[in-house]
Amino acid sequence: MSRRSIGLFIAGGLALALLLAFAVSPWASSEPDGLERVALDQGFAENATEHATGGSPLADYSVSGVDHGALSTGLSGVIGVLLCFALGAGLLVAIRWSRRRSVARTSAARD
């Protein structure tokens, strides 16, 4: 597989993930998730406190400052995909750099 085809595959996957994050995430269920449902069923949901990151810019799957609900949720999904992609790409670059340094040291030691 050539570098170009790998790049196209990655770009296509990223584009598909961004499209799905923006278009599908607004349709996510607004019902409580598993942990919230257990807290409600067991009667201790009223003891919950605000999470430390509850006031963050992407809290509750929305972007602060964007008043349109579906747009805010879609943008939050896009930002999440981009952050995950950047983290994965950064890890890949770091691993490749580390391996190249290791190979360079090994070949220098042989000489």
Side-chain angles (χ1 to χ4, degrees):
M1 197 176 235
S2 72
R3 280 188 182 264
R4 183 169 187 237
S5 60
I6 291 172
L8 288 173
F9 178 76
I10 291 171
L14 179 60
L16 179 61
L18 289 169
L19 177 68
L20 287 173
F22 187 75
V24 177
S25 61
W27 291 345
S29 175
S30 60
E31 294 295 316
D33 65 13
L35 292 175
E36 288 176 311
R37 174 53 52 199
V38 169
L40 289 168
D41 291 348
Q42 298 300 316
F44 59 87
E46 63 275 353
N47 297 334
T49 59
E50 181 69 25
H51 191 273
T53 60
S56 67
L58 297 176
D60 291 330
Y61 305 105
S62 62
V63 177
S64 61
V66 178
D67 294 331
H68 189 273
L71 178 62
S72 180
T73 303
L75 288 175
S76 143
V78 166
I79 292 168
V81 167
L82 290 174
L83 287 173
C84 287
F85 181 79
L87 178 65
L91 285 172
L92 178 65
V93 168
I95 290 169
R96 291 180 79 185
W97 179 76
S98 174
R99 285 185 179 173
R100 284 184 182 155
R101 282 189 61 200
S102 176
V103 168
R105 275 186 277 167
T106 302
S107 64
R110 289 183 190 165
D111 294 338

